[in-house]
Amino acid sequence: MDRDYARPLDVPALAAVALMSAGHFSRSFRAAYGETPYAYLMTRRVERAKALLRRGDLSVTEVCLAVGCTSLGSFSSRFTELVGESPSAYRARRHDAGAAVPACVAKVGTRPRRTAAADRPAVPARPVSIEEADSAGPS
């Protein structure tokens, strides 16, 4: 997902590559990364969108399509949720303060994070068995 964020990716296809059922893949992914596969993918897309918007040579719509989103509304909503401002507002403000920072360091410092603590999924404090995960209900 990190490399192919711009391609159309879905849980059944990812699960097939991992040789798992879609449900088991989703539960395992969430246990390992603390978020659903879709949330993780959208975070990577927003992360790349931030870099493209900082360049300033593409419109928000072009950036939306370049990172693999097909709906400008959904892209803008998720971007605003993770970054705390709309893609247009993010693009319009100055970004030259971090210009001297190497890209690998800037990537970590500008990584999108959810703005509300309530949106973060609970990460189990101990390993959870498949039976416990199944009895907890759908994710």
Side-chain angles (χ1 to χ4, degrees):
M1 283 198 284
D2 290 333
R3 183 184 59 231
D4 295 328
Y5 63 87
R7 292 182 48 218
L9 299 172
D10 61 1
V11 170
L14 295 169
V17 171
L19 303 176
M20 298 179 182
S21 71
H24 182 68
F25 176 79
S26 291
R27 286 189 299 276
S28 298
F29 191 96
R30 187 176 187 130
Y33 290 94
E35 59 187 341
T36 65
Y38 177 76
Y40 183 87
L41 176 61
M42 286 305 295
T43 302
R44 298 290 76 76
R45 287 177 173 174
V46 168
E47 183 177 82
R48 181 64 183 141
K50 286 176 69 176
L52 293 172
L53 290 167
R54 282 193 300 270
R55 284 188 356 201
D57 59 342
L58 298 174
S59 70
V60 173
T61 302
E62 291 170 325
V63 169
C64 169
L65 297 172
V67 298
C69 295
T70 56
S71 166
L72 182 58
S74 296
F75 167 74
S76 294
S77 295
R78 183 54 66 112
F79 189 98
T80 302
E81 175 188 335
L82 292 174
V83 178
E85 63 184 325
S86 70
S88 299
Y90 184 84
R91 183 177 182 262
R93 72 177 168 87
R94 297 180 59 112
H95 298 282
D96 53 344
V101 177
C104 59
V105 175
K107 182 178 178 182
V108 173
T110 61
R111 177 159 285 146
R113 290 170 181 35
R114 294 196 187 300
T115 55
D119 290 340
R120 288 192 203 107
V123 177
R126 60 179 177 75
V128 178
S129 71
I130 293 174
E131 293 78 21
E132 289 175 311
D134 284 341
S135 67
S139 302

